[in-house]
Amino acid sequence: MTTTTSPDTAARQTATAPAPWPDLVSAALLGTERRMPPVAVRPGQSAAAALLDAAAVSAVRQRAALRPAPAGERPAPAPADPRPALPPAARRRLSLLLADRGGSGGGSRRGTAPDLTELLPQWLAAADAHGYRAPEALLPALLDAARARTDLRPAALSLAGPRALWLARLNATWKFALRGTGGPADLPGGGDAEAVRRLWEEGLFAERVALLTTLRRRDPLEGLELLGTTWPTERAEDRLLFLDSLREGLSASDEPFLERALSDRSRNVRATAAELLSALPGSALAARMAQRAHAHLSLDRSADPAVLVVEAPHECDAGMQRDGVVPTPPSGRGERSWWLGQLVEAAPLDGWCERLGGRAPEAIVALPVADDWRTELHDAWCRAAVRQRNTDWARALLGAPGAPAQSGEVAPAGSARDLTKLLTVLPEDERAGWVAQFIAAHGLSDAFRMLGVCAVPWAEPLGRAVVDALDIARDAGSYPWSFSGVMGLAERCLDPAEADRLDLLTAATDEPEGASPGSGGYWSEAFQRLVGTLRLRATMRAELAPPLADTGDGGER
């Protein structure tokens, strides 16, 4: 028995199997006279119009998270998200922020309108803190924003919830979401051991990294045991990234595994294992490195005051190399100073107090160092303080914020010291206070990166110091555009409650003699934009506040 295909049936088949998007683009570029993709042309319709119709249908399907393909099995329904919906005003605000994400965030900083692009990360973080879910209609735009900006992904995916993952499985454009947010809810099967093991053995590499990170946050030992099941068969580059995941929940129970990794075939894996072990002050590697470092540093008590004497190592033996010391220095560095820095960096800091006569870190840092070894020694101690998260040593090495030696982020000359990294070791309030005093003493020119590691919103002393420094720069007739980065940070990080106090700064002032032409107008615009942004942030915060519960008798509680 033979069958024939009716014209209507053929048309339906064509409609369910549209031309691939690259073919549509090629035809649009070359013209339908030269190349016509297999699209349905209705009677009386031109080929160009049919091409545009097909492109529109393909774009709609992409936005709906459906690949252009023959009709197949319907996808499973989206999972439920029991979290509360956004308040109506907050929903409208999110829609505006997502619509503007490509508009006002360019390089220009002129005008008084707030930069909505820079407010989106704060809005997402605040919405997540309230436990809201994203509106279903805005999920595609939210995923597009997260795809374009990696800094948005954790908060955006958290707000989007399980329905974002459901959409991502239907649209390859959003496949980044399948790598997971690293939260507790990302374990397959609700944490079922068999499902976890199957994903670990059969999943994509990105899924396996996300799984290991999640397990380490939940149960570090369970994550380590899972990694051990496949460790010998993993590729070197994969072993390196898996090993880096052990930073989550790093503890003494990881030491045996990391000690074995010191004999790995890959130099990078060995170096990472050594770094992790040196972050455990009680590890055997830390003890070995301390023994080596102490042998190269002594205290000459015969001098008045006592002087630290450095005798850098003359060789980098096999034992040092196995423990992570890189034998070949970078260009411009001497071998002996390179080896010494690595030894001191990996040695537990508390051991120096005992080694140097029970002195506190402040007293040790204040000791003179013979033969110009001070910079090399202090830089190594700075790296050790960051690695070991030692607040006492970080305070000592930072010193007083108003001290002349701290007149820059990289100090002194020839040093690779990064004061910003040291600041991250301090508690948030202390960090903000230190930066505020630094700005009061040295101004804003060297403080930009320091401001970036302070908690948002800035504490009152820090916010006041930044505004005062900006005001002083304006009054001095400073070149205004050189402060645009700090002004942008202030818009995002100042406490919104400061808006009323800053109103006085929005008025245009006379330009002092020698000022940059037009600087008065620029400063006025910048402060108007700052005040407007702070008030908008306050409004956004109020919009996200949960509505007051109804008491049932017409009152509110």
Side-chain angles (χ1 to χ4, degrees):
M1 179 179 179
T2 60
T3 60
T4 59
T5 302
S6 68
D8 290 342
T9 302
R12 284 195 298 271
Q13 290 174 347
T14 302
T16 58
W21 181 258
D23 291 351
L24 297 176
V25 172
S26 297
L29 292 173
L30 295 174
T32 54
E33 296 84 0
R34 298 177 60 188
R35 178 176 296 178
M36 184 63 188
V39 298
V41 181
R42 299 192 306 272
Q45 184 184 36
S46 67
L51 174 63
L52 291 176
D53 284 350
V57 171
S58 181
V60 169
R61 292 189 178 189
Q62 282 190 315
R63 296 289 293 175
L66 293 174
R67 290 180 178 178
E73 200 175 315
R74 287 187 177 183
D81 190 340
R83 295 177 297 172
L86 284 168
R91 185 191 185 285
R92 290 191 293 272
R93 181 70 61 189
L94 175 59
S95 179
L96 290 172
L97 292 173
L98 291 172
D100 190 74
R101 66 186 178 87
S104 62
S108 174
R109 296 295 298 151
R110 294 307 302 262
T112 60
D115 185 354
L116 300 185
T117 303
E118 294 303 326
L119 293 180
L120 182 56
Q122 287 194 24
W123 189 97
L124 291 172
D128 280 339
H130 283 290
Y132 292 124
R133 71 172 188 268
E136 290 78 2
L138 295 179
L139 285 176
L142 187 59
L143 285 169
D144 282 344
R147 183 172 72 93
R149 289 180 56 178
T150 56
D151 62 309
L152 296 179
R153 288 182 184 179
L157 293 178
S158 177
L159 182 71
R163 294 183 176 183
L165 303 182
W166 179 81
L167 282 174
R169 294 187 182 96
L170 301 172
N171 188 340
T173 303
W174 302 323
K175 63 182 179 182
F176 68 89
L178 298 178
R179 300 168 191 167
T181 60
D186 293 331
L187 289 181
D192 176 67
E194 182 58 32
V196 168
R197 183 168 296 277
R198 185 166 57 251
L199 178 60
W200 177 252
E201 293 176 351
E202 302 174 5
L204 300 173
F205 177 70
E207 294 174 325
R208 300 178 71 208
V209 171
L211 174 62
L212 180 59
T213 302
T214 301
L215 281 174
R216 289 289 293 182
R217 290 176 180 173
R218 283 196 171 190
D219 185 341
L221 188 57
E222 182 182 358
L224 182 66
E225 291 175 350
L226 184 68
L227 178 59
T229 60
T230 60
W231 179 260
T233 61
E234 302 287 356
R235 300 184 305 165
E237 54 268 34
D238 294 350
R239 293 199 305 275
L240 179 63
L241 290 176
F242 287 142
L243 198 63
D244 199 58
S245 299
L246 298 188
R247 297 180 193 275
E248 292 280 351
L250 184 66
S251 67
S253 60
D254 299 317
E255 183 178 358
F257 181 88
L258 293 173
E259 275 285 344
R260 292 193 296 272
L262 290 176
S263 302
D264 195 88
R265 303 183 300 276
S266 166
R267 180 175 63 83
N268 290 332
V269 171
R270 296 195 302 269
T272 302
E275 179 190 348
L276 293 174
L277 284 168
S278 67
L280 295 171
S283 68
L285 178 137
R288 295 193 297 270
M289 297 300 261
Q291 183 179 14
R292 295 178 180 121
H294 292 176
H296 296 289
L297 184 65
S298 60
L299 186 64
D300 182 3
R301 292 181 172 85
S302 64
D304 187 19
V307 176
L308 287 173
V309 178
V310 174
E311 178 61 34
H314 290 274
E315 65 172 343
C316 183
D317 57 36
M320 290 168 60
Q321 294 183 45
R322 181 184 181 274
D323 284 345
V325 177
V326 179
T328 305
S331 177
R333 288 288 301 274
E335 283 186 337
R336 297 180 65 197
S337 64
W338 172 245
W339 299 333
L340 175 72
Q342 293 179 81
L343 295 179
V344 173
E345 177 182 352
L349 286 165
D350 292 340
W352 293 110
C353 300
E354 181 180 352
R355 167 72 175 162
L356 300 174
R359 288 174 170 81
E362 291 82 359
I364 294 174
V365 170
L367 287 170
V369 184
D371 301 326
D372 296 326
W373 281 101
R374 178 183 175 85
T375 297
E376 192 71 46
L377 182 61
H378 282 215
D379 286 358
W381 276 337
C382 286
R383 295 192 298 271
V386 173
R387 182 182 296 187
Q388 298 171 31
R389 315 306 294 172
N390 191 307
T391 54
D392 291 336
W393 276 85
R395 291 188 188 101
L397 291 161
L398 281 166
Q406 306 291 3
S407 59
E409 284 193 275
V410 179
S415 169
R417 194 176 315 165
D418 190 339
L419 301 187
T420 300
K421 289 183 178 179
L422 276 177
L423 283 168
T424 64
V425 182
L426 299 182
E428 289 182 355
D429 291 344
E430 184 178 353
R431 187 187 317 162
W434 196 97
V435 177
Q437 294 179 53
F438 181 93
I439 291 171
H442 305 291
L444 291 167
S445 58
D446 295 312
F448 182 77
R449 290 182 61 237
M450 296 181 188
L451 289 169
V453 299
C454 293
V456 177
W458 288 335
E460 192 277 336
L462 177 57
R464 183 177 294 273
V466 171
V467 173
D468 288 347
L470 288 170
D471 194 21
I472 290 171
R474 177 182 66 169
D475 291 343
S478 299
Y479 191 66
W481 293 273
S482 54
F483 293 91
S484 59
V486 174
M487 189 65 79
L489 272 179
E491 292 170 19
R492 299 191 294 273
C493 303
L494 271 176
D495 191 330
E498 294 287 303
D500 291 341
R501 186 175 72 84
L502 299 180
D503 253 339
L504 294 174
L505 302 178
T506 60
T509 59
D510 295 334
E511 297 176 8
E513 186 177 352
S516 302
S519 63
Y522 174 90
W523 281 111
S524 176
E525 280 185 4
F527 280 117
Q528 288 179 56
R529 184 173 59 247
L530 173 59
V531 171
T533 301
L534 294 180
R535 287 182 172 145
L536 178 56
R537 286 173 53 205
T539 301
M540 287 164 47
R541 181 189 297 175
E543 291 170 347
L544 285 166
L548 296 174
D550 192 341
T551 61
D553 56 359
E556 288 183 333
R557 186 174 297 167

